[in-house]
Structure formats: structure tokens, C-alpha cells
Amino acid sequence: MSQATAIAHPNIALVKYWGKRDLERNLPAVSSLSLTLDGFATRTTVTTGTAADEVLQDGKAASPGFASRALAFLDRMLPGREPLRIETANNFPTGAGLASSASGFAALTVAAASAAGASLDPTHLSRWARLGSGSACRSLWGGFVAWHRGVADDGSDSHGVPVAGPGHWDLVMVVAVVATGPKSVGSTEGMERSRKTSPYFAAWVDNAEADVAEAQEAVRSRDLERLGTVMEHSTLKMHATMHTASPPLLYWQPATLACLQTVAALRADGTSAWATMDAGPQVKVLCARSDAERVSQALRPHALQIHTLGPGPGVTLEAP
Ligand code: DP6
């Protein structure tokens, strides 16, 4: 028997991944850039030497959908593998647009590789994590991480690349949770629908590489206005491909728009804050830590919960 436990943190894309160029290998149509967060975490333990596969979530048998996705991923990652026991828990809401699949697959990849005695090279692990969920390939590292779309058909050049560690820049994401519960249409299905039916999808792809280059420069020079501006622009372009898909993907709630207007008002008032949303209604606001309290206060009337999360570390293995 061997056992390994990994802890991974979600990441929020500053320049978004939306759309695939290869569904089977989970290769993205666009490059992206993210910030790994502290505070929220997934802790996953993988044990070998069991009689049959077993998947536990928060101490109980996982839902069939969750279990089969995790096990199908492990079949691809470790072909011919032995039965495994997987125990996973999040300290934040699952499947609600808070990037639980990113931390979940990053933690599972590292725990499974360690328990099975497979490669622990981070780039290798990132490629594997990508097969579970694209955004997971960025959670291998802390701080600011790029994911280049790559050009190779086999996906060998499509993985996370660290840009700047968590200590580089003390920004925060103020996360306004405006609705709880799982999202209506998952990311994979939403991306395919946007790619196949939105007339704006080609324009989205054409612009994305320049946005990543711009964001990377903004990170390097710690230019918040430049980073926030490109982040909002990337976000709204992504949502434009969702809104113009057929049938449309409208992840926003009235409170989502209220938060966006609040952020615009804060900015008009001199606070450097910019918003982003993923495939869900929550609004995440990027700002300096010194402005986090003011931003939280302004968002509070529209939110069920507010979390302030700073730059977090990459995946860690717990000592046995
Ligand atoms: C909107 O990584 O969940 O959060 O690869 O199909 O599992 P799959 O998608 P996933 O998509 C994340 C999309 C996003 C933007 C982003 O994180 O870059």
C-alpha cells in the first residue's frame, strides 16, 4: 500500500481560457493567464492497494458523475493502473464558478502520481492535470501562471508555465458570491456551444494571444491599471461569445450586473478595481490589498458571501 496527500488551490483566469482546439486531448483554442489564490483549497488523498476503486467526497461516497469523471481521468493518466481509493474535500463551494475543478484535478494529479510512483516533474504533471480540466494545468504553480495554447497535435507544448511567484505582487481578488448551487451548463459543454454557434468565436480567438502578452507585461511591471483593463476586456469578450451562442449561455444573475456597476462606480471614484467572471454568476474583483476592505463594503449589499483571497502557492504534497 502507498498513500499520498496533495493540497491545491484554485486559480482565477485574468486572461480567459474558453474554447478547445482538440476536445479529446483537451487542448485550448487560446492561451490564458491566471492567478493562483490562497485561502480556498482542495485536499486529496490517493491510496493504492485497495480491492476496488473508491471515491469519497467530504467523507461520503462521491456522486456517480464526480466519481466517474475522476476515475476516467486516472485511467488516462495511469493506463493499466491498479484500483485506487480517492478521498477529496474542498473548503469552499464546489461547482459554483469558484474554480473547484482547477484545484480538484491539480490535487488529484499530484496525489495520484506520487502514490503510483509516477513522474513528479511539474510540467509533466501540468499536462496530465490539463486532461482532467484545462484550468487545472495552471494550479500546479503559485502566483501568476500562463498556459500557452501550443501548436503540437499531441499537446506536448500545452501546459502551465510560471510567470511570477505569489510574492511578486500583493494583489487580492475580492470574490462576491451572488448565488450558490451548481452551474446550469458546465464549462466543457459551454465552450463547445460557443465554438460551434457563436459568430464572435473566431474574433475571440484572434485577439487572445495579444491579451496574454499584454497581461504578462502588466504583471512583470506591476501595472494594475494595465492588468485590470486587459482582464475585464478578456472577460467581457468571453462572455460575448457565451451570450451569442445558440441557445445562449447567460451565466449572470441580476446581482452579477449590480456588482459590475459597483466596480465601475468605485473606479470612477478613484479606486483601482477591475472585475472578472467565469462560467457562473460570481464576480471576482482584482485590486490592491489596501483597497480590499473598501471594495468588499461596496459589494456587500449585492453578495451572499464575500471572500478576500491573495496570491497562493502551487500544489504541495503533505509529508507522509
Ligand atoms: C471560464 O477548465 O473548467 O473558468 O477544460 O472543459 O474542464 P474544461 O474547462 P475548465 O474551464 C474554465 C473556464 C473559465 C476560464 C478560465 O479558467 O480560464
Side-chain angles (χ1 to χ4, degrees):
M1 188 199 99
S2 96
Q3 188 174 73
T5 298
I7 296 172
H9 300 269
N11 68 77
I12 299 296
L14 309 175
V15 177
K16 303 294 181 180
Y17 150 51
W18 192 251
K20 299 174 196 281
R21 68 185 167 89
D22 182 329
L23 190 58
E24 169 59 21
R25 293 188 176 84
N26 209 23
L27 299 175
V30 292
S31 300
S32 54
L33 187 136
S34 60
L35 177 61
T36 302
L37 300 175
D38 63 3
F40 288 177
T42 302
R43 183 175 185 275
T44 301
T45 301
V46 173
T47 310
T48 64
T50 55
D53 286 332
E54 199 183 349
V55 185
L56 299 172
Q57 197 179 14
D58 299 321
K60 298 185 288 274
S63 68
F66 183 94
S68 60
R69 189 172 172 196
L71 294 170
F73 163 69
L74 291 169
D75 289 341
R76 287 189 77 182
M77 178 181 158
L78 303 168
R81 68 179 175 84
E82 53 180 311
L84 298 170
R85 177 185 159 96
I86 298 144
E87 296 167 79
T88 189
N90 287 338
N91 69 353
F92 63 100
T94 302
L98 295 176
S100 56
S101 69
S103 54
F105 278 102
L108 180 59
T109 302
V110 176
S114 177
S119 166
L120 290 177
D121 168 61
T123 300
H124 210 96
L125 293 166
S126 176
R127 275 191 216 102
W128 270 332
R130 188 199 75 224
L131 293 174
S133 191
S135 51
C137 82
R138 301 182 306 229
S139 272
L140 265 294
W141 292 272
F144 298 88
V145 181
W147 172 18
H148 298 293
R149 72 187 287 282
V151 292
D153 287 342
D154 66 358
S156 52
D157 57 356
S158 189
H159 52 77
V161 177
V163 169
H168 171 72
W169 194 3
D170 196 22
L171 295 178
V172 295
M173 281 281 183
V174 178
V175 179
V177 176
V178 301
T180 51
K183 57 189 155 196
S184 46
V185 179
S187 297
T188 307
E189 187 187 336
M191 284 183 202
E192 280 301 279
R193 195 188 295 175
S194 299
R195 182 178 69 80
K196 287 180 184 152
T197 65
S198 170
Y200 297 166
F201 188 79
W204 155 250
V205 171
D206 283 351
N207 279 262
E209 302 309 304
D211 286 352
V212 171
E214 170 77 4
Q216 221 158 301
E217 264 316 297
V219 168
R220 288 211 179 96
S221 56
R222 297 191 189 85
D223 184 336
L224 180 55
E225 177 164 8
R226 196 171 169 190
L227 183 61
T229 301
V230 70
M231 180 186 79
E232 270 197 9
H233 193 48
S234 172
T235 303
L236 293 172
K237 284 186 289 186
M238 175 182 77
H239 279 272
T241 74
M242 297 168 170
H243 296 171
T244 51
S246 178
L249 293 156
L250 192 54
Y251 290 108
W252 298 4
Q253 296 286 329
T256 310
L257 197 53
C259 289
L260 289 182
Q261 286 171 330
T262 299
V263 171
L266 278 166
R267 225 160 42 224
D269 237 22
T271 303
S272 292
W274 284 265
T276 186
M277 294 85 63
D278 293 294
Q282 327 306 2
V283 179
K284 296 123 190 178
V285 182
L286 184 69
C287 63
R289 194 178 288 278
S290 52
D291 286 327
E293 192 45 42
R294 181 174 321 132
V295 170
S296 305
Q297 289 296 345
L299 293 172
R300 197 149 278 134
H302 310 295
L304 303 172
Q305 300 163 23
I306 303 263
H307 305 273
T308 298
L309 306 168
V315 187
T316 50
L317 272 168
E318 259 180 24

